[in-house]
Amino acid sequence: MLKTKDLSYWYQDASQPLFKDVNLEFEVGQSYAILGHSGTGKTTFLSLIAGLDRPKDGEIFLGDRSLKKIGLTNYRRHDVAIVFQAYNLFTYMSPLDNLLTAMAITNAEHAGDKAYAGQILRDLGIGEDLITRNVQHLSGGQQQRVAIARTMACDAKLVVADEPTGNLDEDNTNAVIAQFQKIAHDQQKCVIIVTHEPDVAAQCDHQYRLENKQFTQLA
Amino acid sequence: MNFCKRAWLNVWAKKGRSILLILVSAAILMFVLAGLLIRSAAIKATNQAKADVGATVTLSANRQAAFKQMRKSSSSSSSTSSRPKLTLTPVKLSDATKIAKLSNVGSYNVTSTTSANAKSYDTVSTSTGMGGSNSGGPGGMKSGSSSSGDTQIDGVTATSLTSDFSDKQSKIVKGRGITASDKNTNHVVIEKELASQNNLSVGDTMTFKQTTGSKTTVKVKIVGIYKASSSSSSTAGPMSTDPSNTVYTSYTLANSIKGSKYAGTADSVTFNVTTPSKVSSVKKAGNQLISTSKYTLSTDDASYQTVKASMSSVESFANKIVWLVAIAGTIILALIVILMIRERRFEIGVLLSLGEARWKIVAQFFTEMIMVLVVALAIAGAGGKFVGNQLGSQLVSQTATTTQTTSTTSGQPGGGNQGGGQPGGQSGHTGGPGSSSNSTTKADTKLAITVSAVDLAELGGFGLAITFLSIMIASGGILRLEPRKVLIS
Ligand SMILES: Nc1ncnc2c1ncn2[C@@H]1O[C@H](COP(=O)(O)OP(=O)(O)OP(=O)(O)O)[C@@H](O)[C@H]1O
Ligand SMILES: [Mg+2]
């Protein structure tokens, strides 16, 4: 579904590229974990496949269309959903409004459907009393679950997450990863998670490690 | 529109911040409104004053041309025996009626001034002792053929049209003034002093004697008594007789006292110009209708100019306030908005990562500010009247003093009757530009401060422009923000 072709990236002021000639393929219905030491370029890679930045060399294809052709804004709106480590939500809204807003912006199939959004939140353990409360009054784990619920409420087939469990305790981490697995398997989406926790990576279907400018698949 | 909903959710959720923004905006708008109010009040007052003070065009003999003619004839004739003669052609009333038909010309007043000698009564002698009652005026270089009488006769169309009466320098105290219907009658209006000294009252008759020609006696009937204020006597300047000896009649009676050849003429005709700004065009059009070698049209819009000048200074000051506050307000608001938007870079990052169009993000901030603006506008509308009133009264007390100074100085050159008096003496009272400005301008400098719907609409426009500019300045950052920044930080 998502393919990188000879993907390279380097920062203007760096002497070496972060990664070079990366050729990877990601499929729907699967979850992928990307491991690697700090500063190797995991987040940078993710920003490229999330359509937040342009590669310096090479191309990314969604199906048979390159991101360049689709247009990054268009790609972000319709094809990819992103979960950040923090600051995922609109702080002045309730969980429900966060979902409805994202659904409206991305023109999702269920846009405007409050019951649908509410059901997703409840499935993720955001109780009735929390749904209409301001998100700032939710715990870190609850907020992260709302962010995951948002990706589920939207239609994008590709879900990318950068250290989504970085701020969570073990229980919350396991719950969140279980949700990502459900998204991949039940919703038939493609989930790509960047993490530095081997335990988290182990729960995903595939694991890659970014090392020496190259991605290597772990057995 | 999804961004409108977001804007509303944001404004509502962050009430404290919204209230602060409302207060800042209201303060800025209040000052803009104060400026707008003063400006519109100044414009209104100027228009009112323009309508009130009026301006005049006066048709009279062309004195300058006559002098030139006199000098030419004196130099060309070799013999010095013939004395150079100043020939002034009296104004023809037929010319006056033509000019009266021009557009922007309102009422007009015919003035024919002469003098006569008292017969059935005694004239009032000046208390300062400037010669006896019958001494006759020193009158400058009078043409020798005529002598001046002790009673000045001011023939007019109507007393109410003369500057002395319209400026309230003179007031009717008994009976009535001369009106257009007194044409061809022997009705007169005399001064209170003269009346009491001679025990005359309305309905009585009195007699004059002509100073020239057959020196026949003229019997007149008193229809009214007026009181001349002391200030009007000062404008009479170098005139010989006491101002109390001025008798108003219809110009027809004055003409007949002058002599039969003066029928259908006048010393001058003063036209009121209904639109003071049109004075020069009236003069231009009038000049087409008269023989400019014999007659001249002079304009008097001094009081109009005085009012205009003082009001335009208020207006330009108000304009400066408006622009200064608008610019300062834009800068202040822009800085606040920039700070706010910097704080919201995560939110912007999330919006961008969801694929939201940048212009819609800017539109959201703009909508939020509009919501703030609407409330601020209401507050400013209430408060601006107060600020405007304070500023307005401050301004008026300043300009009122300025106006008064100007009008006093402009009042000075009144009464200058340069050169030789006509037979019967063309008195100074027709001259005096600016002598009328004193009373009018003072009243007109009051600024009426009221908040109209138009003011509020204009204020709203200013608020919108200020907000729009602020957002535009601040959103430079949004438009440049890379969504990846949110991910990395
Ligand atoms: N805007 C930038 N300009 C220059 N260098 C940058 C910029 N952003 C990141 N880098 C550098 O690029 C490298 C990769 O950064 P990146 O954030 O992708 O690493 P990462 O693998 O996600 O690390 P971590 O596990 O700590 O999150 C780092 O060495 C970082 O210093
Ligand atoms: Mg990272």
Side-chain angles (χ1 to χ4, degrees), chain A residues 127-146:
Chain A
E128 203 64 55
D129 52 328
L130 295 179
I131 280 179
T132 50
R133 201 191 278 184
N134 184 289
V135 292
Q136 283 176 307
H137 301 147
L138 268 60
S139 74
Q142 288 167 335
Q143 289 190 24
Q144 212 59 345
R145 269 181 277 160
V146 174

Side-chain angles (χ1 to χ4, degrees), chain B residues 311-322:
Chain B
M311 279 303 170
S312 76
S313 81
V314 173
E315 204 179 315
S316 82
F317 182 74
N319 260 333
K320 274 178 207 145
I321 295 180
V322 171

Side-chain angles (χ1 to χ4, degrees), chain A:
Chain A
M1 177 221 187
L2 190 83
K3 219 163 46 188
T4 67
K5 188 166 174 280
D6 299 333
L7 199 65
S8 301
Y9 195 94
W10 57 87
Y11 285 102
Q12 229 75 57
D13 45 355
S15 55
Q16 299 246 342
L18 281 171
F19 42 84
K20 201 168 181 303
D21 298 331
V22 173
N23 289 288
L24 288 175
E25 245 180 273
F26 303 95
E27 295 301 334
V28 289
Q30 302 287 311
S31 64
Y32 300 82
I34 294 173
L35 285 156
H37 291 296
S38 180
T40 47
K42 301 181 298 292
T43 298
T44 306
F45 176 75
L46 206 65
S47 72
L48 296 184
I49 59 173
L52 298 172
D53 202 355
R54 289 179 179 78
K56 290 283 158 82
D57 207 356
E59 270 186 283
I60 301 168
F61 290 90
L62 182 76
D64 51 4
R65 292 204 304 155
S66 77
L67 296 205
K68 248 192 247 164
K69 215 168 184 177
I70 296 170
L72 290 190
T73 302
N74 205 17
Y75 175 71
R76 290 200 298 266
R77 188 177 305 158
H78 300 295
D79 302 311
V80 63
I82 310 167
V83 177
F84 303 108
Q85 185 172 354
Y87 310 115
N88 272 299
L89 306 174
F90 300 113
T91 55
Y92 50 87
M93 293 183 194
S94 66
L96 186 65
D97 280 329
N98 262 279
L99 260 62
L100 290 170
T101 299
M103 288 158 82
I105 292 173
T106 62
N107 241 327
E109 190 193 338
H110 293 278
D113 191 341
K114 275 188 191 179
Y116 180 80
Q119 190 54 49
I120 291 174
L121 285 167
R122 274 191 295 273
D123 287 350
L124 283 173
I126 307 297
E128 203 64 55
D129 52 328
L130 295 179
I131 280 179
T132 50
R133 201 191 278 184
N134 184 289
V135 292
Q136 283 176 307
H137 301 147
L138 268 60
S139 74
Q142 288 167 335
Q143 289 190 24
Q144 212 59 345
R145 269 181 277 160
V146 174
I148 293 167
R150 183 175 68 195
T151 69
M152 295 172 78
C154 296
D155 303 340
K157 279 287 172 203
L158 178 65
V159 176
V160 302
D162 190 18
E163 316 233 14
T165 58
N167 295 337
L168 304 180
D169 63 14
E170 208 183 312
D171 286 349
N172 271 312
T173 299
N174 290 333
V176 162
I177 295 304
Q179 278 310 323
F180 276 120
Q181 286 296 81
K182 264 174 100 175
I183 292 172
H185 302 146
D186 297 356
Q187 286 197 315
Q188 282 296 303
K189 292 183 178 181
C190 174
V191 178
I192 303 171
I193 300 168
V194 163
T195 179
H196 59 261
E197 293 169 85
D199 292 348
V200 170
Q203 292 180 54
C204 296
D205 301 337
H206 308 274
Q207 294 84 24
Y208 286 91
R209 177 177 290 279
L210 175 54
E211 220 168 19
N212 301 324
K213 300 170 205 162
Q214 279 302 324
F215 287 83
T216 46
Q217 186 158 19
L218 304 178

